Amino acid sequence: MPPSSPTARRAGTAALTIQDVANHAGVSKATVSRFLNRGGEQLSADIEARVSAAVRELGYSPSPMAQALKRGKSRLIGLVVADVSNSFSVAVLRGAEKACREAGYMVMLFNLGNDHVLEREAIRALSSYQVEGFILHTLGNDAAALADAARLHKPVVLIDRRSGDAQLDLVGLDNDAAVRMAAEHLVEADYRQLLFATEPMKGVGSREQRARTFRSFVAERPDMLAGSTFEAQPGDDAALDAALRALRRDAGAKPCAVLAANAVIALRVVAAVARLGWTLGRDIGLLGFDDPEWAPLVGPGLSAISQPTDDIGRFAINCLLERLRGITLPPRQILLPGTLNVRGSTRRS
Amino acid sequence: MPPSSPTARRAGTAALTIQDVANHAGVSKATVSRFLNRGGEQLSADIEARVSAAVRELGYSPSPMAQALKRGKSRLIGLVVADVSNSFSVAVLRGAEKACREAGYMVMLFNLGNDHVLEREAIRALSSYQVEGFILHTLGNDAAALADAARLHKPVVLIDRRSGDAQLDLVGLDNDAAVRMAAEHLVEADYRQLLFATEPMKGVGSREQRARTFRSFVAERPDMLAGSTFEAQPGDDAALDAALRALRRDAGAKPCAVLAANAVIALRVVAAVARLGWTLGRDIGLLGFDDPEWAPLVGPGLSAISQPTDDIGRFAINCLLERLRGITLPPRQILLPGTLNVRGSTRRS
DNA sequence: TTGTACGCGTTATCAG
DNA sequence: CTGATAACGCGTACAA
């Protein structure tokens, strides 16, 4: 049978094509395509009406796949995340996905599951699907992966963490301001011996940045404040307990407090304090980054710096979209302010 | 300029095509395609070697987009989730995404953000990208959306929640067994007046199932046990507090406990108990579904039923893949067992 | 203004 | 066993 007669198509319910619409309206594919893309600008009123009606009646919408193949653009954005289980990651993901959809894009997700060898494969797989750009929330040590992306001329926006030396757009918390806000709060609450607890730095920009600012803050107040840093290895609770004991010992009579670099480490400190039989706030202060849902519920409540995660996701997408529209600017840093939520873990009484 | 001479292509670094490989190996596109798909079965040793070498040297991998266009298969799976912020959802997502990738598929994510009007749009958008099947973790009240999916002959696997009357594959927790395990634990811990606290049912299968089993369990022990159910409206903390007060009042001298239908509601109960100045375990027992990371840290620790979220994700994907391979079976239910983690919130001493 | 014809990268059919 | 060729659904020069 010759492939088609103008009438009588659409057996079953296969997706309709632009040709179906053209037949229905009695015009050519090209005309329909023009109507769809240039919005009926260059069409006669009569034709426009017919095509418009046909599209509506048939409920037609073009195939993004075919469009992608033709124009090399897919209206797809690749989102690579070190660990979806991380509450910060999901929160950002949420904002990003929403902003994406509002701009007519879809998100293609790749979770590294903390296996950072996958980073290259991630951007490779994603770009084979023609994603137009990348949002990366990873350790970002893999320069090769970034190079791949750059070579494909696909824009990249980093979230939270600066990646190597690459000059890329970055959106995240204003770590410097946030750490200062946090430390100042601890000082005002009378804590005098401070410990900055973090996951292993591993070259992660935001962790190093926070640690650096913390050290500066302490160094600027040599007479009233002492401070040190502790990198907690995953699983090694004993070392963490020891570090906390050392903190109180070093503090002597002075009140001491921990500044936890993120929610994961804050959770571990809370657990350690419980193991040691201490009371948060009184025996030891604790202030964490990120403000997880459980923060109000542990002991007297965990004081925390909350990040504007939704905004971070939104800004990242907007930043990417601007690049896609061809804006050529030097790499930007968009740093958003955090918010301090004071709870019982930083009240000594 | 005529589009191509056999040599001298690949200006810049545009992605390479099957034609490039063919040129490089001195064969036709068709041959390369065959090598790629049937794995060199029907090729002469000489040709196979040449093609194989060319593919490797050039680092070629075919374009999923073009493949999708040609065969109508995209190696894409659509994942629709009611709310990514829900810890259960992410956990399942994690397992699913991994299983997907291991099977050579990619995940396309659509988050409803609890806006269930989007459900139809979700499956519409996703199927326009030719996803081969759907994993749905939604309220599932939108029969129309499901009908859309069915009409496209795309397989659907439901997670956790049965959807309307549709006969579809389902994978989730064995709610019946889990509720009985939970309730039995409460009984053994001497609690005699029970309250089942849940988010509004809204026709959500798993919530109704859990409530039903709870009521049966109580009804089967009329002489030793009393129980009731409470639907907590989002934000209405006053009503929740009142319900808890009523629980203790009704219990009189008997110990009472709350069975929380998921982590969200468990969190709210913990907060309410704190507001009321009670102590978990002693003044009121609490056992929750889901086992969030913070469970060990609130008060004496929150007892909880943990769900095998990774497995749920994996099974869902495998189930979907089997359907994609054309298995025609009646709809299955895969019910996985939960695990009871006993902590302080169900210890009266 | 509208239609015709071609190509995006693949795979399937059909000759050879 | 291999190569030419026609689709898949769409956008767009080019021609009318």
Side-chain angles (χ1 to χ4, degrees), chain B residues 28 30-31 34 43-44 47 69-70:
Chain B
S28 76
T31 303
R34 273 192 283 262
L43 298 187
S44 71
I47 295 269
L69 188 60
K70 184 56 186 159

Side-chain angles (χ1 to χ4, degrees), chain A residues 180-203:
Chain A
R180 296 195 116 80
M181 173 165 60
E184 237 143 47
H185 169 65
L186 289 175
V187 169
E188 281 173 17
D190 279 338
Y191 297 102
R192 288 295 175 267
Q193 178 89 28
L194 270 32
L195 179 68
F196 182 81
T198 176
E199 293 184 279
M201 301 283 190
K202 293 211 172 151

Side-chain angles (χ1 to χ4, degrees), chain A residues 310-323:
Chain A
D310 272 318
D311 286 339
I312 291 177
R314 275 225 315 278
F315 275 96
I317 293 296
N318 289 339
C319 198
L320 197 58
L321 293 179
E322 286 181 12
R323 295 285 178 192

